[in-house]
Amino acid sequence: MKRRSLSMAALLAGILPWGAMAQNTGDWPSRPVRMLVGSAPGGGTDAMARAVADRLGPLLKQSIVVENRPGVSNTLAVDATAKSTDGHTMVMGVVTAHTIAPHLLRLGYDNNKDLVPVAFVGSVPNVLVVGKPVHADSVADLVALARKGPGTIHFASSGTGSTQHIAAEMFQDAAGIRITHVPYKGSAAALVDLVSAQVQMSFDTLPSVIGQIKSGRLRPLAVTSAQRNAQLPQVPTMAESGLAGVEIAAWYGIYMPASTPMAVQQKVHDEVNKVIAMPETKARLEAVGAELRAISQAEFEAFHRAEYQRFGEVIRKNDIRID
């Protein structure tokens, strides 16, 4: 009887998804873990993933293999994670993929059912920057310029539905102005035209523009975080500049397939929180403006839902569409 039970268990283990079978997760992970990234190597999401993976592997006693699958607003990596059944795949999620793109794209998975937020990592604020020829030293100055010529101020973004785009839509709604969107295929091309005065402003992420700010080629007017950023302590928040509610950040967190056993989710959550508390991790990521924050899984899930709803409302209100 005992031999038959063992044979049946082996048979079931071969035909059922890992998540349905794994009840005893004490030996997880039993092989290398894949951490998918929805952007190309060298980007902000990639940097966040590698900083976490380098320290997470030793804690889990398995290697963490970072695999880049760029494209489609970071959703290709999420799609692969949602459909994975090996029990050893996670994705470094980012705001665009999980709370913006689902309102704009026809996806091959259900973002809110097929995946689960497991461990929040941190965020990077967007920064309102203008080129040197723009005669604005504050948000109020820029708003005044926009009011003088509705539509004449052009803002660059890395693409429709990016955090740069959403931040600018929130900005013009709050200020009661109209500015013109110029989408690019990525931040690099947008910054070239911003520095050369082909466009006047952008709400790019801090790591993308910090070099241009320090060189004096771009002027920061405000950050979109709730508090000032340690890398730009002299730059006010949008709320301090008189536009409360214009708050957005490129945030990052680990998501796993919804079939992942709770014990595994808890293990990943706890170990990731240890990683972001390490001084070496904090120094590595705070150097590029990241703000690391350890929160509970329940808080991350609530945050995900709130962001999903908030950005959905902005997208519907401004009739944002991807053609």
Side-chain angles (χ1 to χ4, degrees), residues 156-200:
S157 83
S158 62
T160 301
S162 61
T163 58
Q164 297 100 310
H165 180 197
I166 299 298
E169 296 286 356
M170 295 168 72
F171 168 59
Q172 63 179 349
D173 287 346
I177 57 174
R178 289 294 101 187
I179 52 180
T180 302
H181 183 205
V182 183
Y184 290 80
K185 292 183 178 180
S187 288
L191 288 176
V192 168
D193 279 6
L194 183 59
V195 170
S196 64
Q198 301 302 307
V199 290
Q200 289 74 46

Side-chain angles (χ1 to χ4, degrees), residues 73 104-105 160-161 320-323:
S73 296
L104 297 169
L105 301 172
T160 301
I320 298 173
R321 302 180 186 182
I322 294 180
D323 297 327

